[in-house]
Amino acid sequence: MAEAEDALTIRHVFERLMKTHPSLDAALVRSSVRTAYEEFRYARIRTYLPVLMERRARDLLPSDEQAQRNA
């Protein structure tokens, strides 16, 4: 049950980040979300997992300016 909820959380965080950063490569966004999930995977209190994951994944992503310069 928890795995299905985690998979749904990962998908929602990925979708939100893709909406806010459409210029970034989807694979890069997916990788940052997966990394963020792995960092919080064993958290005992899961209530804030989506928020923490999104913040961490956003920190791992390059800024929009950096992405445009590298493109």
Side-chain angles (χ1 to χ4, degrees):
M1 177 81 167
E3 290 178 20
E5 289 178 17
D6 286 354
L8 188 61
T9 298
I10 290 168
R11 191 176 88 213
H12 287 165
V13 170
F14 169 75
E15 289 171 354
R16 280 195 303 271
L17 287 173
M18 284 305 299
K19 284 181 184 175
T20 58
H21 301 282
S23 63
L24 294 178
D25 181 47
L28 180 63
V29 175
R30 188 173 288 113
S31 174
S32 70
V33 171
R34 185 50 90 174
T35 299
Y37 170 73
E38 290 299 326
E39 292 178 6
F40 293 108
R41 181 180 191 167
Y42 297 107
R44 286 194 275 165
I45 300 174
R46 318 269 306 158
T47 305
Y48 301 109
L49 185 63
V51 172
L52 294 172
M53 281 176 52
E54 187 169 348
R55 286 181 184 171
R56 179 62 181 134
R58 193 178 311 123
D59 288 344
L60 294 170
L61 291 171
S63 69
D64 288 334
E65 289 177 3
Q66 289 173 333
Q68 289 175 354
R69 270 188 265 148
N70 293 335

